[in-house]
Amino acid sequence: MVQALTKQSALDLFEQITAFSVNDSTPGITRLAYSKEDEQAHKLMIEKMQQMGLQVRQDMMGNIFARLPGKNPELPAIGTGSHIDSVPQGGAYDGVIGVIAGLYAISQFKPQQLKRSLELVIFRAEESSRFGFACMASKVMAGQADFDKWAKNTDSEGNNIFQVLDNCGYQSQKLDECRLPANYFDGFIETHIEQGKVLEHQHKRIGVVNGIAAPCRYRVEVHGHADHSGATPMSQRHDALVASAAIITDINTAACYESAYGTVGTVGRLDVTPNAINVIPGDVTFYVDIRGVDKASVNRVVAKFLSSVEHAKAAQDVVIHVSELANDMPVLMKDEIVQRLERICQEHSVPYVTMMSGAGHDTMYMAQDFPAGMLFIPSKEGVSHHPDEYSEFEDVILAAEILKQAMGELADA
């Protein structure tokens, strides 16, 4: 027997997860991948799901799988899930509501009630905040991880993902065992907050996602020469920050030009050395995020960015190294699942819209191997990755009910 989540127990569990955050004076939720707070939240979920009567396991990366067995457990399962790590000073809803909705949906059925098993996946390290790479767990599951790149990129304490995994008691040398077999899932549906304003502006309660934009990401290291800001003539400078600013401006201009295709470009992190008011910046490292659903448009912005790098080298007489962190393809959802989710919304008179996702999600990589879909719920004022991130819990439960019906139908198909 499996104990079903109710609306109230689902809300209680959401609030318990929310409590795991860095305990300091900063606002919002800070639960970085594999931090103490993240580990505590995952431990809570394991204990909760075991108490509910689900079959729970962890793989070598610490991903959690909670299964409700079907009548024919040898058949590919129907999956759902999301993540519970956060960005620094982020919101409480990003990722977490997909875990809550998935657990709610699965728990409404009894063991062996459906032909296929149902399974909830809690993915690790979805956010790129700690290691510079997004969706790390789902990339491993889909065989899309670049371990060589991962080894070269570190967190703020100088540790790469493999060192952190080992320190947490997982087994980084066995990550290949996390690869999911080709017949593991017969369908996968993730629930997530929209992280935008489309649903709110159109007065819709559900977004049925038919495609996901993919990011191209780069680390740019600019090496000039630090000199006295007063004693160094303008003609004799090798200013790493001026070179960086020119590149950043060109990225913004190129992305604006391509905005009709939905392409965006962002530089959200910039480290300046020596970072003093009276010293010409000698070294700058910044990170570029270019993404969209039209790969040709994304590639044009990337080309402009790389051209700007070459121009800045000459103009400022600096050395620039560009490292590619990600170059992902936009992903389309399975038509059959999209149409099923649309039909369920229509059957229950739920106001919905079919839409693309501008943000990346673990479903991008699940969709490499399995039929996949996504459900969005509205984000108040489109705010996400911010302490003010908020969604109505009524919408979480609504999405969970739609997810429940979809998973049940797929499991008995």
Side-chain angles (χ1 to χ4, degrees), residues 80-82 95 97-99 101-102 189-193 374-375 377 399-400 403:
T80 186
S82 197
I97 69 102
V99 172
I189 305 173
E190 180 177 4
T191 305
H192 207 278
I193 59 172
M374 285 195 75
L375 290 169
I377 65 169
L403 178 65

Side-chain angles (χ1 to χ4, degrees), residues 73-141:
E74 73 282 357
L75 292 175
I78 304 301
T80 186
S82 197
H83 65 98
I84 56 178
D85 63 308
S86 82
V87 301
Q89 299 179 43
Y93 297 80
D94 180 3
V96 176
I97 69 102
V99 172
I100 297 295
L103 184 57
Y104 177 97
I106 287 175
S107 71
Q108 306 308 306
F109 298 99
K110 297 179 177 63
Q112 287 81 46
Q113 177 180 343
L114 303 169
K115 182 166 70 174
R116 298 175 185 273
S117 300
L118 304 182
E119 188 165 82
L120 171 70
V121 184
I122 304 180
F123 299 95
R124 304 304 297 262
E126 193 270 353
E127 302 290 2
S128 59
S129 302
R130 183 166 186 182
F131 300 106
F133 303 98
C135 302
M136 299 182 84
S138 49
K139 284 176 180 173
V140 171
M141 291 181 195

Side-chain angles (χ1 to χ4, degrees), residues 5-259:
L5 279 185
T6 64
K7 175 184 173 183
Q8 184 58 52
S9 60
L11 177 58
D12 292 343
L13 181 57
F14 170 78
E15 291 176 344
Q16 285 180 278
I17 296 172
T18 300
F20 293 110
S21 177
V22 170
N23 186 20
D24 59 17
S25 59
T26 57
I29 304 295
T30 299
R31 190 168 51 242
L32 298 185
Y34 300 104
S35 65
K36 177 184 69 174
E37 296 77 19
D38 191 43
E39 286 292 291
Q40 290 172 335
H42 283 81
K43 182 180 179 182
L44 167 74
M45 289 305 301
I46 290 172
E47 293 172 351
K48 174 65 176 178
M49 294 187 296
Q50 286 175 336
Q51 291 168 4
M52 290 173 65
L54 296 170
Q55 299 174 354
V56 182
R57 70 178 180 91
Q58 271 188 296
D59 66 10
M60 300 299 178
M61 197 173 182
N63 300 301
I64 301 172
F65 300 80
R67 178 166 289 220
L68 179 83
K71 295 174 184 175
N72 300 313
E74 73 282 357
L75 292 175
I78 304 301
T80 186
S82 197
H83 65 98
I84 56 178
D85 63 308
S86 82
V87 301
Q89 299 179 43
Y93 297 80
D94 180 3
V96 176
I97 69 102
V99 172
I100 297 295
L103 184 57
Y104 177 97
I106 287 175
S107 71
Q108 306 308 306
F109 298 99
K110 297 179 177 63
Q112 287 81 46
Q113 177 180 343
L114 303 169
K115 182 166 70 174
R116 298 175 185 273
S117 300
L118 304 182
E119 188 165 82
L120 171 70
V121 184
I122 304 180
F123 299 95
R124 304 304 297 262
E126 193 270 353
E127 302 290 2
S128 59
S129 302
R130 183 166 186 182
F131 300 106
F133 303 98
C135 302
M136 299 182 84
S138 49
K139 284 176 180 173
V140 171
M141 291 181 195
Q144 300 291 318
D146 189 329
F147 292 155
D148 290 337
K149 285 184 179 179
W150 288 11
K152 296 173 184 176
N153 221 45
T154 60
D155 63 11
S156 60
E157 297 177 355
N159 297 311
N160 64 32
I161 178 67
F162 307 109
Q163 294 167 316
V164 170
L165 284 172
D166 292 336
N167 289 340
C168 288
Y170 304 113
Q171 299 187 54
S172 66
Q173 72 276 16
K174 295 184 177 181
L175 289 187
D176 287 339
E177 297 180 18
C178 300
R179 177 75 163 98
L180 295 181
N183 64 344
Y184 194 83
F185 286 126
D186 202 49
F188 187 91
I189 305 173
E190 180 177 4
T191 305
H192 207 278
I193 59 172
E194 180 196 349
Q195 302 178 285
K197 301 178 182 179
V198 172
L199 295 177
E200 189 175 69
H201 282 187
Q202 295 191 20
H203 305 289
K204 307 295 185 182
R205 292 188 67 190
I206 292 292
V208 177
V209 177
N210 59 6
I212 303 175
C216 292
R217 287 178 171 155
Y218 302 86
R219 181 177 65 249
V220 184
E221 299 170 279
V222 184
H223 303 291
H225 192 273
D227 274 312
H228 195 288
S229 64
T232 308
M234 299 301 291
S235 61
Q236 296 177 17
R237 297 182 177 214
H238 308 277
D239 192 321
L241 185 55
V242 169
S244 301
I247 298 168
I248 294 167
T249 299
D250 285 344
I251 292 169
N252 185 73
T253 301
C256 287
Y257 188 80
E258 295 289 337
S259 60

